[in-house]
Amino acid sequence: RGRPRAPYCARRFPSSMGKVHGSLARAGKVRGQTPKVAKAADAPKKKTGRAKKRIIYNRRFVNVVVGMGKKKGPNSNMK
């Protein structure tokens, strides 16, 4: 009638196919146990669109300080 059936522990696939990531009882565990951090104080909202382009233009081309040596980068903290 065919091959004899393998014992339970030697079967090719486990009996519960597809259960890989645990039960839904553990969903949201990490987020739930992380301490809540208060938001920072209200900062003024950032400009967007045309107004932001205007600020960038002024920063790059209008308020340019010509000095000795190499040009200072936009992310530089040197004074």
Side-chain angles (χ1 to χ4, degrees):
R1 245 167 56 131
R3 279 188 358 195
R5 190 175 174 134
Y8 178 77
C9 59
R11 284 190 191 152
R12 188 174 167 93
F13 300 111
S15 61
S16 59
M17 290 282 295
K19 295 186 182 173
V20 178
H21 293 294
S23 67
L24 290 177
R26 290 196 295 256
K29 170 184 172 266
V30 173
R31 183 174 179 190
Q33 70 187 8
T34 352
K36 179 113 168 104
V37 178
K39 284 194 172 183
D42 288 333
K45 79 174 177 119
K46 304 222 171 165
K47 304 273 187 190
T48 59
R50 188 207 80 252
K52 184 172 182 178
K53 294 283 186 190
R54 179 173 169 244
I55 290 171
I56 292 172
Y57 173 81
N58 287 336
R59 188 184 303 149
R60 285 186 190 162
F61 302 111
V62 177
N63 299 328
V64 178
V65 178
V66 179
M68 302 261 307
K70 286 183 75 170
K71 180 178 174 268
K72 190 171 65 168
N75 204 26
S76 171
N77 291 323
M78 291 177 54
K79 295 288 178 184

